[in-house]
Every structure is written in structure tokens, then in C-alpha cells.
């Protein structure tokens, strides 16, 4: 199967797909890597003329999120879109191409004393900017700084027909801003090529405090307390590995040193622990020093090995396994949400590890890979049925939901990834406007094949 001359003529890097060039089991025919928005535009125009279905790909770290595409003729790889276009520290802004690795961007802005204010899951941190935006992957800092959708101030993209669209050119499409539409679209509306992020000053010090919780009601009360403006937390993360293990919160703080220590002391008192002495950078323990920082050699070596493992996983995170169900709900209903999740898991016979941004009303429920697919499907169905009772009547946009972010094929075959979608009509309308032939990642988002 030769490479179509129409593709080769407009993109300097086009190849026949290899066996590994698949998107959730869908084998591609061709892979192309444009180096600019203009080259991407010409490539997608040529693909449209050939009637090819197209799926964007960054580092592939989150490619298993979302629905599998219905088909994939051409993978548009963003590895050559790897430039930091402009960083203006005085404006707290940075503009980058979509193929820039997130960890490289973090290092670049931190060198100027600034921060992206995003702490996404480790696979996303090892991935690209485009993949981060396309999945809207967020982590502990969601509580204070929101998701990538909230941090991106401008975006450049290429529609399925090759048309270049910039957010400054069209601020209102289908009633919503371009960033709002494309963050979380999983490449189904077009190819993201550039984005501008709003930055924050880098904090002098940061850290987290563990608050043990007796039960879901106690957790909800502690979240309310930790949300006080005095603490100004960057994150309020919940951890409940299993029904038989402790439930607790990690309250994340950052700021200048004096302010941080005052807030941390209040949190430690809230947790019933004695206040630890302020951290003194001048007296930092060096585990790799000849005296091992005063620790027993065996303990120091164990801690060094753990640090090295964490660093290796930071650079190259292990692949996700099992099923991840993202549960969103009104934050004030945290206790009820936790009760519902545990009851659905127990009734379905599956183990469930619960974590996520309790303060923002978003929890991730992980079910182990060895769980029977039928049991996982029952869990998702039971969870959705019970979540219906958590939302105030007449508020469909704020309704509690359970979305299957990723799962083994056996689970996907037995359950709908999205469940009821309140904005389904709008999703269909936007898909029809941006991609009327439905060639961009067909089937990746809810009912938008």
C-alpha cells in the first residue's frame, strides 16, 4: 500500500503505519508528523480530499482514555510540533506548540520563577501539551486552579477540512469559547496545534498535611473546614484505598515561608498532631552524604531507592491498568457520594480505590484489572442509578455523573462509557459544525460518531 502522493506532497514526514501505530486497537494506515500549523492545515486538507479518518496523537500516554475511535486511517503525530513559541514572564504567559512535552514546559517556566499551576496525573505529565488539553486531565491543583480548560487562554487549531481557526478569530462558536469546546474533546473536533497558558508565580514552599477521617461525614466536615480562606489550599485530595483501609484527606498548601508555616500549624492541630518545627533548608538531610544525614545506613538506602523509583516513574509512568470511573457531584454532597460509591462496589462484588479532588466534587474510582467485566459493568450501572439522587432537581448541567475514563475492552463492551449526557444535543451540533463528515476521531466522544 503506497503512501498517497497527496499526503507526501504537503507534509515532510509521512510514513506507512507500523504494527504499533494503533489507537485502542484500531490499526492506522498512515502516520504523518507536521511541524507547523500551516503544514498541518495542508495535511488535513489533503486527508479530507482522500476521505481519510484522522486521529491526533501526542506521546500516547492518555490514548487509552475515552472511547476507541470507530476507524483510524491517518494518525497525525505532534512530535515535530515541539517548540516553545513565546514565554513572556512579565505577562505571566507562555505560548507553545501542541507537541511540547509537559514536563519540559514545566522546567522552562520554573526556571523563570513561574508555574503552570497544573499537577495532572503522572501519565499526562509525561505526555504532550496537546494531549493534556484534549483530555482536560487535571490533578490535585484542580481545587484552586481548575483544569487545563481554565488555564488555557488562547488556542490554535486545524479543522477536519484544513481550515485554521484561532480563538482570537472566533471567540464564540456554537455558543461557547473554542478553549471550552476543545479541552476534553479527545481530538474529535480538530487538531490542536498551539496553546497559550496563564502562569502563576512559583511559590517559595509547598507541602501537604494528612487529615485522618473517621467516616464520610467526618471527611465532609473537614473539607468544609479546610476550604476556609485562611488555609487557601491549592488542593484537598481524598484517599480511601479500600473499605477496610483508613479514609483521609491531603490538604495541599503553598505560599511564602512564614504564611505557609502558620497555615500548616493550624492544619496539624486540626489533625490532632503536635506542630512540627519549621522546615530549615540550611539543615536539609542529605541521604547520599557520608553520614546518611544521621539516619541508619539501611534506612537511608531504602529511602534513596524509593526516591529513585519515584523519579523513574515520573519520567516514564507505568501503564494504567483496570478500570477508572470518574465521579462528579455537587461538592456539598461529598459524604453521600462516598456512601454511594462504597455501596455500589460492595453490591457488585468489586474492590474500589477512591481518590481525587474532594473539594472540587470530582473523585476517581479505580477497579483492579482482575475484576470480572460483568461485575465492573454492574458497579457502573448501580453507581449511576444511585448518583441520580445526589443532584438538586432541575440542574442537569450540575448533575452527578459517572464516566468510564478507561477500561479493558471486555468492560467497554458491557457498559456505556458516558451514560446519560445532559448536553448531548449541543455535542452533536458542535461535532456537525466542526467536522460535518465525522472524520476526526469518530466515536471518541459521547455519541459523536
Amino acid at each position: 500500500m503506497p503512501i498517497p502522493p497527496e499526503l507526501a506532497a504537503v507534509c515532510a514526514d509521512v510514513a506507512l503505519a507500523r504494527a504499533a501505530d494503533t489507537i485502542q486497537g484500531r490499526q492506522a494506515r498512515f502516520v504523518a508528523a507536521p511541524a507547523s500549523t500551516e503544514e498541518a492545515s495542508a495535511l488535513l486538507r489533503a486527508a479530507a480530499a482522500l476521505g481519510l479518518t484522522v486521529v491526533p496523537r501526542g506521546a500516547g500516554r492518555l490514548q487509552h482514555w475515552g472511547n476507541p475511535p470507530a476507524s483510524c486511517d491517518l494518525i497525525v503525530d505532534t512530535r515535530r510540533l515541539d517548540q516553545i513559541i513565546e514565554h513572556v514572564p512579565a505577562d505571566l504567559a507562555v505560548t507553545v506548540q501542541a507537541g511540547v512535552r509537559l514536563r519540559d514546559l514545566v522546567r522552562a517556566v520554573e526556571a523563570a520563577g513561574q508555574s503552570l499551576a497544573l499537577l495532572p496525573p503522572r501519565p499526562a505529565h509525561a505526555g504532550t501539551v496537546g494531549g493534556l488539553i484534549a483530555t482536560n486531565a487535571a490533578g490535585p491543583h484542580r481545587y484552586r486552579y481548575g483544569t487545563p480548560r481554565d488555564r488555557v487562554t488562547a488556542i490554535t487549531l486545524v479543522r477536519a477540512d484544513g481550515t485554521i481557526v484561532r480563538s482570537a478569530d472566533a471567540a464564540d462558536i456554537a455558543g461557547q469559547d473554542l478553549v471550552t469546546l476543545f479541552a476534553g474533546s479527545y481530538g474529535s473536533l480538530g487538531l490542536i496545534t498551539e496553546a497559550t497558558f496563564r502562569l502563576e508565580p512559583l511559590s517559595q514552599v509547598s507541602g501537604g498535611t494528612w487529615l485522618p477521617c473517621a467516616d464520610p461525614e467526618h471527611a465532609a466536615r473537614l473539607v468544609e473546614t479546610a476550604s476556609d480562606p485562611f488555609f487557601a489550599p491549592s488542593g484537598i485530595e481524598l484517599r480511601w484505598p479500600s473499605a477496610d483501609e483508613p479514609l483521609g484527606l491531603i490538604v495541599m498548601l503553598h505560599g511564602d515561608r512564614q504564611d505557609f508555616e502558620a497555615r500548616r500549624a493550624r492544619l496539624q492541630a486540626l489533625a490532632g498532631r503536635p506542630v512540627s518545627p519549621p522546615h530549615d533548608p540550611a539543615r536539609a538531610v542529605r541521604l547520599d552524604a557520608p553520614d546518611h544525614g544521621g539516619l541508619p545506613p539501611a534506612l537511608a538506602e531504602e529511602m534513596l531507592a524509593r526516591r529513585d523509583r519515584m523519579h523513574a516513574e515520573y519520567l516514564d509512568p507505568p501503564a494504567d491498568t483496570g478500570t477508572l470511573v470518574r465521579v462528579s457531584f455537587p461538592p456539598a454532597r461529598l459524604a453521600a457520594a462516598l456512601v454511594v460509591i462504597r455501596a455500589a462496589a460492595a453490591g457488585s462484588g468489586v474492590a474500589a480505590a477512591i481518590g481525587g479532588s474532594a473539594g472540587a466534587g470530582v473523585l476517581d474510582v479505580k477497579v483492579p484489572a482482575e475484576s470480572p467485566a460483568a461485575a465492573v459493568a454492574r458497579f457502573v450501572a448501580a453507581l449511576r442509578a444511585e448518583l441520580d439522587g445526589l443532584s438538586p432537581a432541575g440542574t442537569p448541567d450540575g448533575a452527578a455523573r459517572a464516566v468510564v475514563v478507561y477500561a479493558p475492552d471486555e468492560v467497554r463492551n458491557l457498559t456505556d462509557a458516558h451514560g446519560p449526557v445532559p448536553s448531548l444535543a449541543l455535542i452533536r451540533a458542535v461535532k456537525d459544525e466542526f467536522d460535518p463528515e465525522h472524520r476526526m476521531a469518530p466515536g471518541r466522544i459521547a455519541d459523536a460518531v
Side-chain angles (χ1 to χ4, degrees):
M1 178 176 54
I3 296 172
E6 295 90 340
L7 300 182
V10 297
C11 184
D13 191 332
V14 183
L16 294 175
R18 300 164 301 171
D21 291 318
T22 62
I23 306 293
Q24 292 194 34
R26 306 297 189 262
Q27 177 65 54
R29 297 163 59 193
F30 315 105
V31 178
S36 68
T37 297
E38 291 69 27
E39 190 174 0
S41 171
L43 176 67
L44 289 190
R45 192 177 304 114
L50 294 169
L52 302 179
T53 54
V54 178
V55 179
R57 181 180 69 188
R61 296 290 183 170
L62 303 181
Q63 206 70 67
H64 59 294
W65 287 26
N67 290 329
S71 66
C72 175
D73 296 320
L74 172 66
I75 290 176
V76 179
D77 195 296
T78 63
R79 65 180 181 273
R80 295 174 66 223
L81 292 166
D82 61 353
Q83 300 299 305
I84 296 178
I85 298 170
E86 184 180 35
H87 178 200
V88 185
D91 293 341
L92 290 172
V94 63
T95 300
V96 299
Q97 290 184 311
V100 170
R101 293 296 183 106
L102 182 61
R103 62 190 179 213
D104 294 336
L105 178 57
V106 168
R107 282 196 292 264
V109 300
E110 285 185 350
Q114 296 180 335
S115 167
L116 281 175
L118 290 170
L119 194 62
R122 281 184 295 178
H125 200 272
T128 64
V129 166
L132 176 78
I133 299 170
T135 56
N136 201 35
H141 287 175
R142 174 199 293 263
Y143 175 77
R144 180 166 180 176
Y145 296 109
T147 67
R149 177 181 289 132
D150 303 300
R151 305 302 303 173
V152 174
T153 60
I155 195 170
T156 298
L157 56 98
V158 182
R159 290 169 51 149
D161 62 0
T163 302
I164 298 172
V165 183
R166 294 179 171 85
S167 53
D169 300 334
D172 196 340
I173 293 183
Q176 295 191 31
D177 179 80
L178 278 179
V179 174
T180 302
L181 293 174
F182 272 73
S185 66
Y186 287 82
S188 64
L189 300 179
L191 174 69
I192 299 169
T193 59
E194 298 176 13
T196 300
F197 287 86
R198 179 172 65 253
L199 304 176
E200 300 289 336
L202 194 61
S203 300
Q204 290 182 0
V205 62
S206 62
T209 296
W210 171 258
L211 301 181
C213 306
D215 52 40
E217 290 288 349
H218 186 210
R221 292 195 300 272
L222 286 178
V223 167
E224 183 178 3
T225 301
S227 301
D228 188 280
F230 170 81
F231 294 114
S234 53
I236 305 177
E237 290 290 290
L238 181 140
R239 295 289 183 268
W240 198 1
S242 74
D244 299 324
E245 295 180 78
L247 163 64
L249 302 172
I250 301 174
V251 181
M252 306 176 72
L253 306 175
H254 66 251
D256 62 57
R257 192 167 304 282
Q258 182 176 0
D259 172 71
F260 173 85
E261 295 296 350
R263 291 182 289 148
R264 185 182 69 151
R266 283 271 296 272
L267 280 176
Q268 290 177 328
L270 187 64
R273 292 195 299 272
V275 177
S276 57
H279 173 66
D280 184 358
R283 302 183 63 184
V285 173
R286 289 292 304 272
L287 299 175
D288 54 357
D291 66 347
H292 303 291
L295 297 176
L299 176 59
E301 290 174 5
E302 179 185 345
M303 295 175 67
L304 281 170
R306 187 183 308 132
R307 184 195 66 184
D308 291 343
R309 285 196 303 271
M310 292 177 63
H311 181 67
E313 289 187 3
Y314 170 79
L315 296 176
D316 187 18
D320 288 322
T321 60
T323 299
L324 177 64
V325 182
R326 180 155 296 147
V327 180
S328 56
F329 52 91
R333 304 304 307 277
L334 171 63
L338 289 171
V339 170
V340 163
I341 295 169
R342 281 283 169 236
S348 306
V350 300
I354 307 173
S357 189
V362 180
L363 294 174
D364 285 344
V365 184
K366 293 200 69 174
V367 180
E370 60 269 19
S371 304
V376 180
R378 287 196 301 271
F379 166 65
V380 174
L383 185 56
R384 286 173 175 160
E386 293 300 322
L387 284 173
D388 284 344
L390 298 189
S391 303
T395 56
D397 290 340
R401 293 189 63 203
V403 174
V404 179
V405 178
Y406 60 77
D409 290 342
E410 297 82 3
V411 173
R412 289 195 178 280
N413 292 337
L414 294 175
T415 187
D416 174 12
H418 297 275
V421 181
S423 56
L424 185 56
L426 175 60
I427 292 174
R428 288 172 170 167
V430 171
K431 177 69 172 174
D432 288 341
E433 178 167 351
F434 277 89
D435 181 21
E437 296 179 347
H438 289 206
R439 291 184 305 97
M440 289 296 303
R444 289 282 273 165
I445 57 174
D447 201 41
V449 298

